[in-house]
Amino acid sequence: MDYTFDPPSNHDLSSMYRSGRNAQKVWTENGIDYRIDILQKWKKAYESRSDELINALATDTGRIHETILEVETIPKSIDRWCDIAKELFGNSEPKLSSIPFIAMEQHTVPYSLVGVISPWNVPNLLAHIDAIPALLAGSSVIIKPSEFTPRFVEPLQHIVESVHELSDVLQYVQGDGNTGALLLDEVDLICFTGSVATGKKVGQQAAKNFIPAFLELGGKDAAIVLESANLEKAASAILWGSVVNAGQSCLSIERVYCMESVYNSFLSILTEKANAIQLAYPEMDSGQIGPIISPNQTEIIELHLEDAISKGAHVHRGGSIEHHGGGDWVRPTVLSQVNHSMKIMTEETFGPIIPIMSVSSQDEAIHYANDTEYGLSGAVFGEESVAKSIAKKIEAGAISINDAGLTSILYDGEKNSFKSSGLGGSRMGPTSIQRFFRKKVLYTNTNSQNDPWWFN
Amino acid sequence: MDYTFDPPSNHDLSSMYRSGRNAQKVWTENGIDYRIDILQKWKKAYESRSDELINALATDTGRIHETILEVETIPKSIDRWCDIAKELFGNSEPKLSSIPFIAMEQHTVPYSLVGVISPWNVPNLLAHIDAIPALLAGSSVIIKPSEFTPRFVEPLQHIVESVHELSDVLQYVQGDGNTGALLLDEVDLICFTGSVATGKKVGQQAAKNFIPAFLELGGKDAAIVLESANLEKAASAILWGSVVNAGQSCLSIERVYCMESVYNSFLSILTEKANAIQLAYPEMDSGQIGPIISPNQTEIIELHLEDAISKGAHVHRGGSIEHHGGGDWVRPTVLSQVNHSMKIMTEETFGPIIPIMSVSSQDEAIHYANDTEYGLSGAVFGEESVAKSIAKKIEAGAISINDAGLTSILYDGEKNSFKSSGLGGSRMGPTSIQRFFRKKVLYTNTNSQNDPWWFN
């Protein structure tokens, strides 16, 4: 890697914690209207430097379409959260409790210092997805993005420096897992997006430190294709849902269960569509698929492919790692003759691989969809009411019907991660901001004539 | 102890987990109206045997007034939760998302098997406070009450056996910490009420097992008495808030900060009122204060008193452990000349001890109130607006104004435990039922004319 940074010293980190905590007092006391104003300033500063961000991210990830999307999404997210926060913090009127002479008022007390540890696969979006509501809730935030995609941190720091009211409440730090572990020992709440293995460690360290942990981890999303599905559309949706970001999304479609009556037709339509996808090489706009970002991930993809092929999987398209311009690339890979003895059907691959298994009944499809330690999201294609009844039986937090990956563009619905895919309250939906404050109630005995209630 | 039980074998426990999980499928599928019906049957069966429960609990705790209260509170709690749950599960209508041709519906998926580990200080209330909303949410529940107060478990089991629809979804198990640890390795969610030390272990084991943990732990609740307070009423409220349950409540008032201008008056009023409190001995209705339930707790109270007295605390009333009828008893103990070098001001005592410290300003009172690792609740006495402004600065989840312990009788407000007093969502307030299910969203592409959204 031709970009290096020095990890922060303990002294640097201590200074960040201290300034973050100090600044948070004013940040929360100044109220929600103030915080909205400052975040709008941040938005403008961010927009004025979005080209720098896009360049930095494109250099680290080797992709342009997804980079533009993830840079453009932040201002929209700031606006959406500013609208929601205005409503949320609007009403703190006292009211009567269930005992008539006792009044109650509900207050919110933000966690002082929130830590965010974010991954390399969608670096900018995932660095900010929890940080924006945390800031509006009144917390101070320290973000540690992945050391695999470090370049965008400097432009982000320049943006924040230009909005001086924000400079101590929104801090970025470059570092690897060691820095993350140090951060975990100091913050009051942690948001972590990454692998299940690291997530479990983060959860345990948080429990030891007695702080809330919100974990968004891996997935092995299944798509189910019913007889009644529009096969053309299902194939388009599944292909996109699998190959966007070169499969490097926690909510990629990683396996397909197709009813046997339409299996052959679906397989040939999907393979044909997969053939039309090009690598984004030699130019970033030469095609739709970028490179594999993390070298560790290449090894996993290779291992899963070898394992599947050695156990009898048939490759219809793609199937190997290609090396171009110093990077690793994988073409959309369509596999048939797959089963659950193969890692490709049960472990997270994080690549543009579409293994398709034939099933003979809806129950069988549901059984296999749930035969996994993951429970992030999924998709069902077919007549709507049947598809919904199946969706309800899939153990995952968000299911797209006759589409794929809708939860990556819609923030409306609340969803929890099931099983090993995560822990803690919903990151999506308006109530997700509540993760960043504690509820506090004031009960007032308003009856000046009487003794305390238990003497009444 | 003249009552013994055999801890469950691994085989017994496995059988409980299996029957709990199996029964939960039907329990959740049958819907909320069914669950409300069965809980109403349970309520009737419970009420018909409340005398047995009262006898068992009174024998184990040595107190009658609080026992009657905590036995009577369960039917009320069932009714309150049945009302709330009816509303909560009423609306699952599909609606449009922020993308016009994508519809969304929000579903709830209860955790299958919920574990409850509850303490000896308010055995019946705390065994059921989380179990009732969990059952209505659609979970199966296994409750392990404290081994120090085991007698009420048999009547509870008889009650459940008389409502056969409930018998596998609400199970009680007798056991100590070992049984608790085994339970933690099998359930999908744990609710724990107990000490900070054990709570930290529970949190870490839950994180290792990757399940949500809701911890409600100790407290060191402070009361602040301002110049403007009605001293008579403040003294009554603080006395009651400190000595009810012989101080064996997490939200007992354990320390008082009184403005120096009214300090002497307040001390003498409080001491006089404390003098009027009698031990509930030789008969349970001979007085207001029962014995210390757990022998370990006697040692802690003794240690804190010795430490305070050795460092200069002055005893105005009480101050020693008394032994009557095979039990340990502590009279309301009023201390002055106390400071924060003493355990009695900083560690949880869990006894009817009222140390009163003079302070010279509101800021000093707030400083000392927050000089603790605990953050459960508290109280402020004085002119309402000033008292509220102080209450907002106390780092705790529920503050009573001109009264004490209101959060023990009011379930309306949401409150989180601050600092080491707990972790996880609010146990109080209507939204606390949401702790027992995962949110799940179904997004449907309703546009049969168009390709999936990303081609639009």
Side-chain angles (χ1 to χ4, degrees), chain A residues 98 105-106 233 388 391 394 397 399 401 403 406 412-414 416 439-441 443 445 448 450 453-454, chain B residues 98 105-106 233 388 391 394 397 399 401 403 406 412-414 416 439-441 443 445 448 450 453-454:
Chain A
S98 51
E105 353 178 335
Q106 196 79 59
K233 286 182 188 168
K388 277 189 186 172
I394 297 180
I399 314 290
I401 312 283
D403 216 324
L406 291 179
D412 310 61
E414 290 176 79
N416 286 97
K439 301 286 181 66
K440 178 172 176 175
V441 64
Y443 288 121
N445 185 332
S448 61
N450 284 350
W453 66 267
W454 53 88
Chain B
S98 51
E105 10 182 316
Q106 196 79 60
K233 285 182 187 166
K388 277 189 187 172
I394 297 179
I399 314 290
I401 312 282
D403 215 324
L406 290 179
D412 310 61
E414 290 176 78
N416 286 97
K439 302 287 181 65
K440 178 174 177 175
V441 63
Y443 287 123
N445 184 331
S448 61
N450 285 352
W453 67 266
W454 53 86

Side-chain angles (χ1 to χ4, degrees), chain B residues 222-449:
Chain B
I224 293 175
V225 180
L226 303 174
E227 273 185 62
S228 52
N230 178 324
L231 298 186
E232 278 286 336
K233 285 182 187 166
S236 294
I238 287 170
L239 179 64
W240 180 87
S242 177
V243 305
V244 70
N245 291 344
Q248 300 164 110
S249 302
C250 47
L251 41 74
S252 289
I253 298 288
E254 294 226 343
R255 52 203 174 108
V256 181
Y257 304 98
C258 181
M259 295 299 284
E260 58 187 0
S261 56
V262 294
Y263 182 79
N264 287 331
S265 310
F266 178 73
L267 179 60
S268 67
I269 296 170
L270 183 70
T271 305
E272 193 181 319
K273 286 183 189 282
N275 276 327
I277 303 279
Q278 301 300 321
L279 299 184
Y281 184 84
E283 301 303 324
M284 281 193 200
D285 56 3
S286 302
Q288 299 88 349
I289 292 200
I292 305 303
I293 298 169
S294 156
N296 305 341
Q297 209 59 44
T298 304
E299 283 176 36
I300 292 171
I301 295 170
E302 208 152 24
L303 179 72
H304 287 193
L305 282 173
E306 283 170 8
D307 172 72
I309 292 164
S310 77
K311 289 172 179 161
H314 182 71
V315 180
H316 294 261
R317 157 82 182 166
S320 61
I321 313 288
E322 300 176 24
H323 307 279
H324 304 290
D328 298 331
W329 304 72
V330 184
R331 286 180 203 275
T333 293
V334 181
L335 303 176
S336 67
Q337 310 294 332
V338 291
N339 61 58
H340 275 227
S341 77
M342 300 172 182
K343 294 180 197 295
I344 205 87
M345 296 302 278
T346 57
E347 297 181 14
E348 189 172 35
T349 309
F350 231 57
I353 318 292
I354 317 172
I356 314 176
M357 186 168 160
S358 171
V359 289
S360 58
S361 70
Q362 293 175 12
D363 283 348
E364 196 184 348
I366 294 164
H367 165 78
Y368 282 119
N370 288 335
D371 180 28
T372 169
E373 68 160 317
Y374 297 100
L376 204 61
S377 39
V380 185
F381 296 85
E383 190 277 315
E384 200 175 304
S385 66
V386 180
K388 277 189 187 172
S389 75
I390 291 173
K392 287 179 195 167
K393 292 177 182 161
I394 297 179
E395 294 162 9
I399 314 290
S400 301
I401 312 282
N402 292 325
D403 215 324
L406 290 179
T407 178
S408 65
I409 51 155
L410 283 161
Y411 299 85
D412 310 61
E414 290 176 78
K415 57 166 191 170
N416 286 97
S417 301
F418 284 46
K419 301 181 189 170
S420 295
S421 282
L423 205 59
S426 175
R427 162 188 276 182
M428 298 296 184
T431 59
S432 73
I433 197 173
Q434 296 176 356
R435 295 176 297 156
F436 302 107
F437 45 69
R438 286 150 295 189
K439 302 287 181 65
K440 178 174 177 175
V441 63
L442 267 51
Y443 287 123
T444 304
N445 184 331
T446 60
N447 193 335
S448 61
Q449 301 308 309

Side-chain angles (χ1 to χ4, degrees), chain A residues 39-94:
Chain A
L39 259 62
Q40 289 294 324
K41 279 194 193 176
W42 179 40
K43 185 184 85 166
K44 288 203 178 66
Y46 176 103
E47 285 174 328
S48 73
R49 285 176 179 256
S50 61
D51 287 350
E52 283 173 58
L53 278 172
I54 289 170
N55 286 338
L57 286 159
T59 306
D60 271 342
T61 64
R63 66 194 182 200
I64 189 67
H65 299 298
E66 295 93 334
T67 293
I68 293 172
L69 274 176
E70 74 158 324
V71 169
E72 285 177 350
T73 198
I74 301 303
K76 290 178 198 159
S77 177
I78 293 172
D79 281 344
R80 197 180 61 249
W81 274 116
C82 285
D83 287 347
I84 292 169
K86 215 175 180 101
E87 275 179 46
L88 259 182
F89 286 84
N91 54 345
S92 65
E93 293 299 301

